[in-house]
Amino acid sequence: MEIGQPSPARVHPGGPAPLLLRTVREHRTGLGGTSVLTARGTVDTSNAGRFTEALAAHLADAGRAGEHPLLDLTEVYLACPAADLLARAARDLARSGRALSVVQPRPHVRETLAAAGLPGLRVHASLDLALRALAARGPSPADPGGPGR
């Protein structure tokens, strides 16, 4: 172990952290509806299916509601290939002219996503930057009136 690096026991003291998923929906003036799926913990082979199903349901629900979908990976460690989990969702969104904003993926995930060249994903350093980028593109389809509505 190098000096300044946390010991492996401190990184995962009791093994992988359990996967927790939560969706928050809100309406923002000038942006419309947003739906943020926040994941915490470790995505590995034991729960990758649950993560994929939650992401698919999140995207479908956001699509039906006309919301901007976001995926917050700030507190997630992906122990399986990230591109495999996100590729299908990204392609489907790109075909429909939509995108999934991904917030703060860890460096190995960010590199994998960049190498995969998935057109339906937009990676942002923070949730605030993701929301600003969405606002710059305009309101969601469910909020055609935009500001001042």
Side-chain angles (χ1 to χ4, degrees):
M1 174 171 56
E2 293 181 30
I3 295 175
Q5 296 293 318
S7 73
R10 290 187 63 200
V11 175
H12 294 290
L19 179 63
L20 304 171
L21 301 163
R22 180 178 73 138
T23 299
V24 174
R25 291 181 164 82
E26 62 180 50
H27 184 88
R28 293 176 174 257
T29 303
L31 178 58
T34 61
S35 179
V36 181
L37 174 62
T38 302
R40 294 179 69 184
T42 302
V43 178
D44 58 21
T45 55
S46 71
N47 59 21
R50 185 166 72 102
F51 177 78
T52 303
E53 289 170 7
L55 178 58
H58 172 71
L59 295 174
D61 291 346
R64 280 190 294 277
E67 298 168 332
H68 293 286
L70 292 98
L71 174 61
D72 187 346
L73 297 178
T74 304
E75 297 183 47
V76 167
Y77 178 77
L78 291 168
C80 51
D84 292 345
L85 294 174
L86 300 173
R88 184 175 38 228
R91 283 190 205 102
D92 291 345
L93 284 170
R95 275 188 231 120
S96 68
R98 298 174 65 213
L100 173 64
S101 295
V102 179
V103 178
Q104 193 58 39
R106 295 182 183 255
H108 75 285
V109 177
R110 194 170 36 249
E111 291 169 10
T112 301
L113 295 176
L118 302 173
L121 292 181
R122 292 194 174 96
V123 179
H124 302 277
S126 70
L127 184 57
D128 185 54
L129 290 173
L131 292 169
R132 286 183 195 183
L134 287 171
R137 283 195 291 275
S140 65
D143 189 27
R149 189 176 138 185

